[in-house]
Amino acid sequence: MGKKRKQSETQTAEPTNKDEGAPERPKRTLVGWKDKEEVAKQTESNPDSSSQVFRNKEKVMVTCSRRINYRYRHLMLNMVSLLPHCKKDNKVESKSSKGATLNELIELSGCSSCLFFECRKHQDLYLWMAKSPSGPSVKFLVNAVHTMEELKLTGNHLKGSRPLLTFSGNFEKDAHWKLLKEMIMQIFGTPKEHRKSKPYHDHVFVFSIVDDHIWFRNYQISVPHNESDKMVRGGLDKMTLVEVGPRFCLNPIKIFGGSFGGPTLYENPFYVSPNQIRALEKRQKAGKYAKKVKAKTRRKMHELSNPLEPDEFADMWRE
């Protein structure tokens, strides 16, 4: 039999606190680890600094209507890949009550803006840009759509990198263009130090106004490198832009004071709906057919009014 242990050995030792002398772990934030001592020093030096710090918490919800075309769905997915601060949501029925539904979804998802792709008659695409919940909102007709998949361009930038936004000079011409520029800057500009974005600027979003339409292009900033992946001397002067895609054109229809509705701030006087364009084309085709029918009736009336004289040699070979 084994020896019995002494009573002093059987007594359990009191647990020692290992973290007794260790420093307290700093609080973690979206930016990184936050040191309490540094924050205390900043607040002592400038007590109003905490209230003056601005953090861009812009978050965009991207969604579409039901029965959307496959090309327009691919365009929406391209925009989702270009905006790291966006959130994709389920499809929404495009009825008269879509505004209240979308505002509720935006509030539930914690977003402040929305890009809503609305498809009508499986062929017409409308884009809603809205700031929720107080507005304003803009309705565009989307034309000249070309997705990344069908363009097959050579550009290729880092996914999630922050874009540079460039605008043509005529955005400062009228008040409604200034409002659209501010909305585009807030929606398409990736917030600084966003957790899903990369700290690089390697592509450019170009917005230009031509014929009262907003044309969108996406270019990669290409810089020449050596074989050792180092920048060539003077390479910044040799930078080029390589198009990545997608491409589309926005025709503004109306600007509303609220979110997906409200008082009309601006209405495009030169806007013609796609239904009217198709109706005019049908009328032109119907006009061609009507001309043929009128020509046939005129020919018949001419033949009746000007009958041919009887031919005297008609019965010559009949026996």
Side-chain angles (χ1 to χ4, degrees):
M1 293 181 64
K3 295 182 181 179
K4 291 184 179 181
R5 292 183 180 179
K6 296 181 180 180
Q7 190 175 0
S8 60
E9 294 180 358
T10 57
Q11 290 179 355
T12 57
E14 294 182 359
T16 58
N17 191 3
K18 294 181 180 179
D19 300 333
E20 191 171 358
E24 187 180 356
R25 191 176 185 182
K27 186 179 178 182
R28 187 173 185 178
T29 60
L30 291 175
V31 181
W33 296 102
K34 189 174 182 181
D35 194 355
K36 291 184 178 181
E37 295 180 0
E38 292 182 2
V39 174
K41 290 179 182 178
Q42 291 177 3
T43 53
E44 287 176 3
S45 61
N46 190 4
D48 297 330
S49 61
S50 59
S51 60
Q52 293 176 0
V53 171
F54 171 74
R55 185 174 180 82
N56 188 357
K57 296 183 180 180
E58 183 73 27
K59 192 176 178 183
V60 183
M61 189 182 77
V62 180
T63 183
C64 64
S65 62
R66 295 188 181 278
R67 295 174 293 276
I68 191 172
N69 195 354
Y70 73 97
R71 292 185 68 246
Y72 300 150
R73 186 177 68 252
H74 289 175
L75 175 65
M76 184 192 70
L77 295 177
N78 292 157
M79 296 308 298
V80 169
S81 64
L82 291 177
L83 303 176
H85 62 292
C86 76
K87 181 178 181 181
K88 190 164 69 74
D89 211 311
N90 296 328
K91 295 180 180 179
V92 179
E93 191 67 39
S94 58
K95 292 183 179 179
S96 58
S97 61
K98 65 177 178 294
T101 306
L102 285 169
N103 284 327
E104 187 176 355
L105 288 174
I106 293 169
E107 185 180 0
L108 290 173
S109 58
C111 299
S112 57
S113 305
C114 180
L115 289 176
F116 177 59
F117 293 85
E118 183 180 4
C119 187
R120 298 279 185 89
K121 296 186 177 180
H122 298 277
Q123 52 187 342
D124 301 331
L125 180 64
Y126 297 91
L127 174 62
W128 285 84
M129 283 186 192
K131 299 291 292 182
S132 181
S134 58
S137 57
V138 192
K139 185 179 182 181
F140 296 99
L141 175 67
V142 185
N143 294 320
V145 175
H146 299 282
T147 61
M148 289 183 182
E149 290 79 10
E150 65 186 24
L151 284 174
K152 296 181 181 178
L153 297 169
T154 57
N156 183 22
H157 59 78
L158 182 66
K159 185 177 181 181
S161 59
R162 298 179 64 207
L164 298 173
L165 302 183
T166 60
F167 298 88
S168 58
N170 45 7
F171 268 97
E172 304 293 331
K173 184 172 60 176
D174 296 321
H176 63 279
W177 292 123
K178 291 181 181 179
L179 177 61
L180 291 176
K181 179 182 177 181
E182 185 63 31
M183 289 189 67
I184 291 171
M185 286 172 62
Q186 294 184 19
I187 293 175
F188 286 88
T190 304
K192 186 180 180 182
E193 297 176 351
H194 191 272
R195 60 189 182 88
K196 289 187 178 179
S197 66
K198 308 295 189 300
Y200 307 108
H201 295 280
D202 62 346
H203 64 116
V204 184
F205 287 167
V206 180
F207 298 91
S208 55
I209 299 175
V210 181
D211 297 331
D212 292 329
H213 291 62
I214 299 176
W215 297 79
F216 173 83
R217 294 290 185 271
N218 180 25
Y219 296 98
Q220 176 200 357
I221 302 173
S222 179
V223 183
H225 287 75
N226 288 329
E227 294 180 357
S228 60
D229 202 17
K230 291 185 179 180
M231 189 182 298
V232 184
R233 180 174 294 180
L236 293 177
D237 299 332
K238 300 177 183 179
M239 285 193 304
T240 56
L241 296 179
V242 184
E243 188 172 357
V244 183
R247 298 178 183 175
F248 56 87
C249 172
L250 301 176
N251 184 12
I253 303 172
K254 281 186 180 182
I255 301 177
F256 300 97
S259 180
F260 298 100
T264 303
L265 303 179
Y266 170 77
E267 186 173 0
N268 190 358
F270 305 107
Y271 170 71
V272 181
S273 67
N275 292 331
Q276 293 179 352
I277 295 173
R278 286 191 289 267
L280 289 173
E281 290 177 353
K282 285 184 179 180
R283 286 175 190 171
Q284 290 177 356
K285 291 179 182 179
K288 291 181 181 179
Y289 177 72
K291 286 179 182 179
K292 290 182 181 179
V293 173
K294 286 181 181 179
K296 286 182 180 180
T297 54
R298 281 200 304 270
R299 180 65 182 171
K300 288 182 180 179
M301 295 298 293
H302 179 74
E303 289 177 355
L304 292 173
S305 59
N306 300 306
L308 295 174
E309 295 181 359
D311 189 4
E312 57 184 13
F313 299 106
D315 299 333
M316 179 182 228
W317 306 105
R318 293 182 183 177
E319 291 181 358

